Amino acid sequence: MNYEIVELAEKIVAGKAAVTSNSSPDMQEKIGNLWQTFGAEAGKIADRTNKKAIGLYCDYGTPAAEDYTVLIGCQVENKNSNPGFVQKIIPAGRYAKFVLSGDVVSDVCKAWNEIWNTPLDRSFAADFEEYQEDCDGKKGTIHIYISLK
């Protein structure tokens, strides 16, 4: 899968979060529930910078624990402008950027399977999916960013 190396500025993301792992039997259910909650509450998030949705993976645990935080939300202008929502920082830095267009579930899953098999010097600071404004909840353009050392 093709990608390009990009430099990103820091982003503040507000939304709903949960802790899970790829080996957790309810991982997909947890993430799906977060997307449903975000869809119902997205209009309550103040200070949005755009209409894009973000699926953020951060706070990675030890390799033995395999846990991480997943936050479904959107980019906001100011930290602490959204009480009641979890806020996380996507750090500035180098990222591998993958671009795909298609089904927001099956094509994103396929892309992640390919990304996991791509030799990248990952930092595990923050990885995220950015669903572009053409996404309608079923199909659209998705950018996946993988943080690099």
Side-chain angles (χ1 to χ4, degrees):
M1 186 167 189
N2 294 329
Y3 63 92
E4 65 177 308
I5 304 297
V6 297
E7 290 284 336
L8 294 181
E10 178 181 279
K11 296 177 185 280
I12 304 166
V13 181
K16 296 294 181 176
V19 175
T20 191
S21 73
N22 290 346
S23 60
S24 176
D26 65 348
M27 181 260 302
Q28 290 181 338
E29 181 181 348
K30 276 187 180 182
I31 295 174
N33 288 340
L34 287 172
W35 277 109
Q36 287 180 347
T37 301
F38 172 72
E41 297 187 10
K44 297 177 185 175
I45 299 176
D47 235 1
R48 289 182 73 163
T49 61
N50 54 49
K51 294 184 180 186
K52 299 173 184 177
I54 292 178
L56 171 63
Y57 307 91
C58 60
D59 303 333
Y60 289 96
T62 63
E66 299 179 350
D67 60 321
Y68 56 88
T69 298
V70 58
L71 182 147
I72 306 301
C74 55
Q75 186 177 350
V76 296
E77 286 288 334
N78 299 300
K79 192 164 192 214
N80 303 321
S81 62
N82 284 283
F85 291 95
V86 176
Q87 297 188 8
K88 296 283 184 181
I89 301 291
I90 297 173
R94 291 179 57 232
Y95 289 80
K97 177 183 177 183
F98 298 82
V99 177
L100 61 136
S101 185
D103 184 276
V104 298
V105 176
S106 65
D107 288 331
V108 169
C109 287
K110 287 178 196 171
W112 274 108
N113 285 330
E114 289 185 41
I115 290 167
W116 289 326
N117 291 311
T118 301
L120 296 169
D121 193 13
R122 295 179 66 179
S123 72
F124 294 96
D127 303 317
F128 65 101
E129 302 154 0
E130 186 179 61
Y131 294 80
Q132 304 304 299
E133 294 181 11
D134 69 340
C135 285
D136 62 7
K138 295 180 182 186
K139 294 188 181 217
T141 306
I142 304 101
H143 298 173
I144 299 177
Y145 295 90
I146 306 299
S147 58
L148 302 174
K149 291 180 182 175

